[in-house]
Amino acid sequence: MVTGGQSPPTPRTRNTRSITRGVRLRSCGESHRKSGESTFERGACLREDLLRKQLGARPPDLSGARPVLKMLQVLAVLFVLWVLAALLTAVARRSAATRRHWLDQGVAHEPPHLLFGSLCDVLLFRITMDEWLRALYERFPGERLVGFWQMRSPALLVRDPALARAVLMGDFASFPGRGVKVDESDPSVVHLINIQGPRWRCLRTRLSPFTSSGRLRAMVPTLRRVASHASRHISATAERPTDTGEVMTRYTTDVIGTCVYGLQLAALGDPASRFHALGRRVTGISVGMALRRALRLLAPRVARLFSVRQFPPQLTAFFCGAVVAELDRREREERDGPPRADFMQLLLEIRKDMRKAKVARKEGEIQDDAKSKKPKNGDFMIQDVDIPDSILAAQAFVFFLAGFDSPSSTATFCLYELAKRPDLQRKARDDIRRGVRAAREAAGGDGDGDGGGDDDLTYDALQEMTYIDMVMAETLRMYPVTGQLFRECTKKYRFPDSDVELQAGTMVFVSIFAMHHDPLYFPEPELFRPERFSPGEKGLIKPYTYMPFGAGPRFCIGERFALLQMKMVLARILLDFEVQTCAETPRALQFDPRAFGLRLSQPVWLRFMLRLQLVLFALWALAALLTWVLRRTGATLRHWRERGVAHEAPSLLFGSVGDVLLFRTTMDEWLRALYERFPDERLVGFWRMRSPALLVRDPALARAVLAGDVASFPGRGIKVDEYTTDVIGTCVYGLQLAALGDPASRFHALGRRVTGISVGMALRRALRLLAPRVARLFSVRQFPPQLTAFFCGAVVAELDRREREERDGPPRADFMQLLLEIRKDMRNAKIAREQDDVRKQVTKSKNLNKSDIILQDIDISDATLAAQAFVFFLAGFDSPSSTATFCLYELAKRPDLQRKARDDIRRGVRAAREAAGGDGDGDGGGDDDLTYDALQEMTYIDMKYRFPDSDVELQAGTMVFVSIFAMHHDPLYFPEPELFRPERFSPAEKGLIKPYTYMPFGAGPRFCIGERFALLQMKMVLARILLDFEVQTCAETPRALQFDPRAFGLRLSQPVWLRFVPLRPSAHCAT
């Protein structure tokens, strides 16, 4: 029904029927997708349909509003883009302004990184801040000021000492503090180093008396007692490498505990000392600690934004609680005895004065008290400041922090430099003794003696030690306690004689580390030279170029205390020990980039030799000189001690090898015993008669001797007499000797005679090896002349015979054929030399190989060729047979390993058969089964100068030994070395063997060229025997093998009796 003249609603052409909501929504969406309308418009259509359902009426027509909605959408996008562009523009303008900051002022500067400013390497822990500032200092050598950026904040490095003086001293009002924003809720930072203003002045004035002369003099007995404890602690590890930094931190822990806290901590005697562990934790280096420290120093705004604390809250709470509890305890017990003279007593006095001032303020009596009583020690400022217990605890904390790490590091650096310079160490020791004598004489006592007593190191004696002062000053120059000083500019400031103007908040740095190493102020800055600080040169040092403890009103108030405790421990150690470097001592010190300041990234290992032992050794050397009569003997006996090499004490007559020369032990066993007596050394010295020799224990140094530096160690040091053919031998003569079938074999008897053991043969061999000068003096030959003449004649005759018969058949493939080819090439080279046509012959000949071109420069006689044949005979006769005997002996004792070896032999034979296309069945017992390929398949049978990084320098002619026998039995390289365990050389474990610890055939260019031949012949005989026999021990089998001390090498002193039980009918039982 139509009312009020209203026209009825016009029906819609779309969706005229009553449909469900889901269909209607799909229809709407589909229609808009077809029309290509946006998701925004489709959403509007869906909302329109929902509204129609809710109101039960047709919604208003919104088709006219859609252009407006599109416009709003475009405007919203444009607004977001405009905001983003504005932000980027603002950031770019500010970054550009920041980048132009130092450029606009005409200051040379380091270009900043977008994110980290100039300190990217520091914040990423690639380098320490001290080293980075030094590098920046050195990159701008002609500048007085250098700019850089801390994140986005400009900062300044001062290079000119005059400007450094202005910042640190002259214009202190503009640079009163370090710019550290102090959060009083964190007690660990509210201390003298960080705070400023009236509270800083009050605390500094009240705490300065801690280092007065009277208090320091009273501390000397305590320091002397702790230094003696440190000396006894070092004595426990004397002559062995000692972690010097660890000892020094324990010393400083005990000093702080006694002189600051009044506690007996005994960190030197307690490895689990709680305070030492706490100090390690506070000063420890970790990524988290380093990141917090870097943020607080280099990005303070970021640190404040995230409330970053330098130390964990639990740690600061413990310290604060411990200090307050100690103050309460002292206050309760104060009436029972006189007040102490330590740092805690000063804090207690400040606490009591603060309470009095607080009461006086309440009663309005401050002014009257000020008029009636003269103030002292800063009492007049107490009325203006508030110092709660937490701030007092912070002062105790910072003294612990500074006293734990800095003095111990400086003492470690000092001992490290003195260990490298024995001459300076001797001068320092003489200065200590002179100081002790001078103090004794001044006190009216006896000036004699060396000053080694515990009571000799008095306060006056320490003041007399001027050279020790110079040594410590030079140590602090090279390794300053703090490598940088930084101040915040608190108001606009213009540098003197400069147009550079600083804004408030700018950080200014002075690099102490860089100035101390500037050759302009300290020539040869990397040279440790204490004489820079002698009375004659000290006055030449330019002011404000040497500041190890800072400068100006904020210099370190603990300077005198730190120097005194360092001086005490250095004097005690140098009186008691000779400090030496060792193999573990770092050649150059590396600093940890995560640390604040110069903290080492590795321990400093030094050796402390007891002075008493050195004195006794000097007396023994003097007695040897008087007995021996020859003056050079003393120098010889001191050879290794002067080079800092651990050594075996020599006997008067035989040097160190008396037991070898007297046939009490073999040379191999003696070297092994020497090797095992010095487990921590890389090199061990000894004497062959009066000649110094060296045993190399370190595989890396063994590699240098045998392979790396072969030019310095080209031979074995044996003086060769080519005309008497003293050293000759052979491997294969091409003869059928039949020694196994002929009990009277001449060659076997000859081999026994050559390698036989007799007193005469052993004595000749020992003299040539251990006393070569004596051997040459008396023309001692290793073998009888008749023997060498026989071998030389036999070899030359065989060469002549082969040369005559060479045309009748192809050349043989044995060792003698190689000698024959060398002989012919030598003749050709001799003819070419006579015709002066050597190079033409070399270039035209197609048969000459690489080595032939040097034949023109040498002469190889028939006697020398015969010597090569003899040495192959000598080596092949004894060494493989001994090794095979040892192998069968061990397998006889271990039937389980023998079965595994036999199974491996059969497996190898089958594998070789199959590889050759044959039948892999059978047990491989035939004579023809043991082929070369089969032997290669048997893996179980196969299991079996100046030195680098050292200050040891060898003189020409020094013999160097590498004890293979000792290395092969070192449990460090071969666990359970006395256990016969072939699995050490399995594929899984063989790669774990450290290079140059397993060298049965030597190593380097002079390794045994017969190695493969020896292994092959041993492998063949072992395979044959194990296939045919079960090897067993018997009643006559020795329980342990004994070596003959008269022999060269490991030669048995008794037969090895074994029982061979046949495994097949064709084999015969043998014993």
Side-chain angles (χ1 to χ4, degrees):
M1 181 175 181
V2 181
T3 59
Q6 294 179 350
S7 60
T10 305
R12 298 184 63 183
T13 59
R14 186 179 56 174
N15 295 334
T16 55
R17 297 181 180 180
S18 177
I19 58 177
T20 64
R21 177 172 177 265
V23 175
R24 186 164 58 252
L25 292 178
R26 283 198 305 274
S27 174
C28 180
E30 291 171 358
S31 65
H32 283 287
R33 279 197 297 272
K34 291 178 181 179
S35 63
E37 293 180 355
S38 67
T39 305
F40 179 83
E41 293 168 330
R42 292 199 298 273
C45 181
L46 295 175
R47 287 192 294 275
E48 177 185 342
D49 291 341
L50 290 173
L51 182 62
R52 179 190 306 147
K53 180 172 179 63
Q54 292 173 358
L55 299 178
R58 188 180 64 183
D61 188 3
L62 299 179
S63 59
R66 286 175 182 168
V68 177
L69 293 175
K70 288 184 178 181
M71 181 62 69
L72 290 175
Q73 182 181 8
V74 172
L75 289 175
V77 172
L78 291 175
F79 178 74
V80 171
L81 292 175
W82 178 82
V83 170
L84 183 60
L87 286 173
L88 292 175
T89 303
V91 170
R93 287 182 176 178
R94 185 159 184 179
S95 297
T98 300
R99 286 173 173 269
R100 289 197 308 270
H101 181 86
W102 294 124
L103 185 63
D104 293 343
Q105 298 214 46
V107 176
H109 56 276
E110 182 79 2
H113 186 274
L114 181 62
L115 184 61
F116 298 114
S118 306
L119 302 173
C120 179
D121 288 340
V122 178
L123 290 171
L124 295 178
F125 306 131
R126 296 171 182 163
I127 192 174
T128 66
M129 184 66 180
D130 291 339
E131 291 174 301
W132 185 88
L133 285 173
R134 178 181 173 183
L136 180 66
Y137 180 101
E138 293 172 347
R139 278 199 294 275
F140 297 88
E143 303 295 333
R144 302 176 72 197
L145 300 168
V146 179
F148 65 97
W149 280 264
Q150 291 179 285
M151 304 291 280
R152 294 182 59 255
S153 301
L156 197 66
L157 172 64
V158 176
R159 294 186 79 261
D160 185 6
L163 298 186
R165 181 188 182 282
V167 171
L168 300 173
M169 183 71 177
D171 297 321
F172 180 75
S174 298
F175 302 93
R178 294 182 169 86
V180 179
K181 305 303 178 183
V182 175
D183 180 7
E184 295 199 9
S185 64
D186 182 5
S188 65
V189 297
V190 193
H191 48 66
L192 281 175
I193 294 178
N194 295 334
I195 62 175
Q196 58 192 55
R199 184 180 283 168
W200 169 76
R201 287 192 295 272
C202 175
L203 285 172
R204 186 175 179 87
T205 304
R206 296 298 300 269
L207 296 178
S208 294
F210 176 67
T211 58
S212 65
S213 297
R215 286 181 181 266
L216 292 178
R217 184 183 289 271
M219 292 179 194
V220 164
T222 299
L223 295 176
R224 187 168 57 229
R225 185 182 68 253
V226 179
S228 296
H229 291 168
S231 177
R232 287 194 291 272
H233 182 82
I234 294 173
S235 298
T237 59
E239 304 185 22
R240 297 197 303 270
T242 301
D243 185 350
T244 310
E246 178 70 11
V247 176
M248 291 300 102
T249 55
R250 289 184 177 276
Y251 165 76
T252 54
T253 300
D254 283 349
V255 169
I256 296 166
T258 306
C259 298
V260 176
Y261 295 99
L263 304 174
Q264 299 295 329
L265 301 181
L268 283 163
D270 181 12
S273 170
R274 185 179 181 186
F275 258 82
H276 182 262
L278 195 61
R280 281 295 187 195
R281 185 179 174 192
V282 172
T283 61
I285 300 172
S286 66
V287 175
M289 186 80 79
L291 187 58
R292 289 194 295 270
R293 189 183 297 120
L295 283 175
R296 289 179 61 84
L297 176 64
L298 305 176
R301 295 179 182 176
V302 177
R304 288 196 298 273
L305 179 64
F306 293 97
S307 300
V308 175
R309 292 192 172 192
Q310 186 168 351
F311 302 101
Q314 305 87 341
L315 195 63
T316 55
F318 167 78
F319 255 98
C320 185
V323 171
V324 172
E326 177 66 14
L327 292 176
D328 292 340
R329 187 188 65 79
R330 291 196 179 200
E331 198 166 18
R332 290 193 303 270
E333 300 174 357
E334 194 171 27
R335 299 176 184 177
D336 299 337
R340 303 188 189 181
D342 55 18
F343 186 79
M344 291 294 287
Q345 190 65 31
L346 292 177
L347 297 182
L348 182 59
E349 292 172 3
I350 295 174
R351 185 195 213 188
K352 291 189 293 183
D353 290 341
M354 283 299 307
R355 289 177 178 173
K356 292 178 182 178
K358 188 175 182 180
V359 172
R361 280 198 299 269
K362 288 182 178 179
E363 297 176 355
E365 298 176 356
I366 294 178
Q367 297 297 330
D368 295 340
D369 287 344
K371 292 178 181 179
S372 62
K373 188 177 180 180
K374 186 178 179 180
K376 63 177 182 178
N377 289 337
D379 290 345
F380 62 91
M381 292 185 291
I382 291 290
Q383 57 180 315
D384 300 323
V385 298
D386 181 29
I387 304 178
D389 285 349
S390 61
I391 295 181
L392 294 178
Q395 313 318 307
F397 177 77
V398 76
F399 262 75
F400 176 82
L401 188 67
F404 178 88
D405 188 56
S406 300
S408 63
S409 296
T410 303
T412 302
F413 293 140
C414 185
L415 291 171
Y416 171 77
E417 293 294 339
L418 290 177
K420 295 196 300 181
R421 294 287 302 276
D423 55 325
L424 301 184
Q425 189 177 156
R426 285 191 292 272
K427 292 180 68 174
R429 188 175 293 109
D430 293 341
D431 180 64
I432 295 168
R433 292 169 177 163
R434 183 196 56 77
V436 169
R437 288 194 296 268
R440 282 178 180 172
E441 293 171 355
D446 184 8
D448 295 335
D450 64 351
D454 285 346
D455 296 332
D456 289 326
L457 296 178
T458 62
Y459 182 81
D460 295 327
L462 292 177
Q463 301 310 305
E464 293 286 342
M465 300 173 190
T466 55
Y467 192 78
I468 290 294
D469 290 333
M470 294 157 56
V471 168
M472 290 196 302
E474 177 69 350
T475 303
L476 289 167
R477 181 194 68 80
M478 293 188 69
Y479 312 100
V481 171
T482 175
Q484 57 182 291
L485 301 174
F486 50 94
R487 300 289 186 267
E488 181 187 32
C489 181
T490 57
K491 55 186 177 182
K492 187 177 290 188
Y493 176 80
R494 184 182 296 273
F495 280 100
D497 303 324
S498 172
D499 295 331
V500 178
E501 188 173 77
L502 300 184
Q503 301 299 320
T506 303
M507 293 297 294
V508 178
F509 289 77
V510 177
S511 176
I512 298 175
F513 190 48
M515 283 190 172
H516 286 190
H517 288 79
D518 191 335
L520 183 64
Y521 309 127
F522 299 96
E524 297 181 285
E526 303 303 326
L527 175 65
F528 187 81
R529 194 172 71 85
E531 286 73 15
R532 302 180 202 272
F533 298 92
S534 63
E537 294 189 38
K538 191 174 184 179
L540 303 177
I541 298 175
K542 191 171 184 178
Y544 286 85
T545 60
Y546 178 72
M547 301 174 286
F549 290 93
R554 297 191 74 101
F555 83 98
C556 176
I557 65 172
E559 174 183 4
R560 296 182 66 194
F561 173 66
L563 290 174
L564 185 67
Q565 64 169 315
M566 288 190 290
K567 198 170 185 179
M568 178 64 78
V569 74
L570 289 173
R572 184 71 274 163
I573 289 175
L574 292 178
L575 279 177
D576 294 343
F577 301 97
E578 180 87 22
V579 187
Q580 300 175 352
T581 58
C582 57
E584 294 80 3
T585 304
R587 293 182 63 85
L589 299 181
Q590 301 292 329
F591 302 111
D592 198 313
R594 300 169 299 173
F596 178 73
L598 300 177
R599 289 284 302 281
L600 289 170
S601 59
Q602 81 276 49
V604 176
W605 296 93
L606 298 174
R607 179 181 290 108
F608 295 84
M609 303 291 291
L610 284 168
R611 292 289 301 165
L612 179 61
Q613 293 180 357
L614 293 176
V615 170
L616 293 176
F617 181 81
L619 292 175
W620 178 87
L622 180 60
L625 282 172
L626 294 175
T627 305
W628 193 262
V629 181
L630 299 175
R631 299 185 60 173
R632 291 194 309 169
T633 302
T636 301
L637 296 178
R638 292 193 301 270
H639 182 87
W640 293 123
R641 181 167 63 86
E642 290 174 349
R643 287 160 175 77
V645 176
H647 55 274
E648 180 77 356
S651 65
L652 185 62
L653 186 60
F654 299 115
S656 306
V657 293
D659 289 340
V660 178
L661 289 172
L662 297 175
F663 306 131
R664 295 171 181 165
T665 184
T666 67
M667 187 65 181
D668 289 337
E669 292 174 298
W670 185 86
L671 284 174
R672 177 181 174 183
L674 180 66
Y675 180 104
E676 293 172 349
R677 278 198 294 276
F678 296 86
D680 299 323
E681 301 297 334
R682 302 176 73 196
L683 299 169
V684 181
F686 64 98
W687 281 264
R688 301 185 305 153
M689 303 290 281
R690 291 181 59 250
S691 302
L694 198 64
L695 171 64
V696 176
R697 295 187 77 262
D698 187 346
L701 298 186
R703 179 189 181 281
V705 171
L706 300 175
D709 298 325
V710 71
S712 300
F713 304 91
R716 294 181 170 87
I718 299 174
K719 305 302 180 183
V720 178
D721 184 357
E722 292 187 358
Y723 299 99
T724 59
T725 62
D726 196 12
V727 182
I728 48 179
T730 187
C731 175
V732 178
Y733 288 86
L735 305 175
Q736 299 296 327
L737 302 181
L740 284 168
D742 183 8
S745 169
R746 185 179 179 186
F747 261 80
H748 184 264
L750 194 61
R752 279 298 185 193
R753 185 179 176 190
V754 171
T755 61
I757 301 173
S758 67
V759 175
M761 187 78 79
L763 186 58
R764 288 195 296 271
R765 188 182 297 118
L767 282 175
R768 290 181 58 83
L769 177 64
L770 303 176
R773 296 179 182 177
V774 177
R776 289 196 297 273
L777 180 64
F778 294 98
S779 300
V780 176
R781 296 183 177 184
Q782 187 167 351
F783 302 101
Q786 304 86 343
L787 193 64
T788 55
F790 167 78
F791 259 99
C792 183
V795 171
V796 173
E798 177 64 11
L799 292 176
D800 292 339
R801 186 186 64 79
R802 291 198 180 198
E803 199 168 18
R804 290 193 303 270
E805 299 174 359
E806 194 173 26
R807 300 176 183 177
D808 299 335
R812 303 188 189 182
D814 56 13
F815 186 78
M816 294 294 287
Q817 189 64 32
L818 292 177
L819 296 182
L820 181 60
E821 291 174 4
I822 295 174
R823 187 194 212 190
K824 291 189 294 182
D825 289 338
M826 283 302 306
R827 288 177 180 172
N828 294 336
K830 186 176 181 180
I831 295 173
R833 279 199 303 270
E834 292 175 354
Q835 297 176 353
D836 195 26
D837 199 22
V838 174
R839 301 205 176 272
K840 184 182 294 185
Q841 295 291 333
V842 170
T843 54
K844 287 185 177 181
S845 176
K846 296 182 180 180
N847 296 324
L848 291 178
N849 55 35
K850 221 174 184 181
S851 62
D852 291 331
I853 61 174
I854 61 172
L855 291 178
Q856 57 175 321
D857 301 321
I858 60 175
D859 184 22
I860 301 177
S861 64
D862 284 350
T864 303
L865 294 176
Q868 314 319 307
F870 182 48
V871 78
F872 264 69
F873 174 82
L874 189 66
F877 179 89
D878 186 64
S879 300
S881 62
S882 297
T883 304
T885 301
F886 295 149
C887 183
L888 291 171
Y889 171 80
E890 293 294 339
L891 290 177
K893 295 196 300 180
R894 294 287 302 276
D896 54 327
L897 300 184
Q898 188 178 156
R899 284 191 294 274
K900 291 179 69 174
R902 187 174 293 107
D903 293 340
D904 180 64
I905 295 167
R906 291 167 177 164
R907 182 197 56 76
V909 168
R910 288 194 296 270
R913 282 178 180 171
E914 292 171 356
D919 183 8
D921 296 332
D923 62 356
D927 288 343
D928 296 333
D929 287 327
L930 295 178
T931 63
Y932 179 85
D933 293 332
L935 293 177
Q936 303 310 306
E937 290 290 333
M938 300 176 191
T939 57
Y940 193 81
I941 293 293
D942 280 337
M943 293 180 195
K944 39 173 187 95
Y945 171 144
R946 191 177 290 236
F947 279 102
D949 302 325
S950 171
D951 295 330
V952 179
E953 189 173 77
L954 300 184
Q955 302 298 322
T958 303
M959 291 295 292
V960 179
F961 290 76
V962 178
S963 178
I964 298 174
F965 188 49
M967 281 191 175
H968 287 190
H969 288 79
D970 192 336
L972 182 64
Y973 308 128
F974 299 97
E976 298 179 286
E978 302 302 328
L979 175 65
F980 184 80
R981 193 172 71 85
E983 286 76 15
R984 301 180 201 273
F985 301 92
S986 64
E989 293 188 39
K990 192 173 184 179
L992 303 178
I993 298 175
K994 191 171 183 178
Y996 287 83
T997 60
Y998 179 70
M999 302 175 286
F1001 290 89
R1006 297 190 72 99
F1007 82 102
C1008 177
I1009 63 174
E1011 175 185 2
R1012 298 180 66 190
F1013 173 73
L1015 289 174
L1016 185 66
Q1017 63 170 316
M1018 287 189 292
K1019 199 170 182 178
M1020 177 63 78
V1021 72
L1022 289 174
R1024 187 70 272 165
I1025 290 175
L1026 293 177
L1027 279 175
D1028 293 342
F1029 300 93
E1030 177 81 27
V1031 188
Q1032 299 176 353
T1033 58
C1034 58
E1036 294 80 10
T1037 304
R1039 295 180 61 85
L1041 299 181
Q1042 300 293 327
F1043 303 111
D1044 196 321
R1046 298 170 299 173
F1048 178 74
L1050 299 177
R1051 289 284 303 281
L1052 291 169
S1053 59
Q1054 81 277 49
V1056 177
W1057 297 95
L1058 298 174
R1059 177 177 290 108
F1060 294 83
V1061 179
L1063 296 175
R1064 58 184 69 250
S1066 59
H1068 299 282
C1069 182
T1071 301

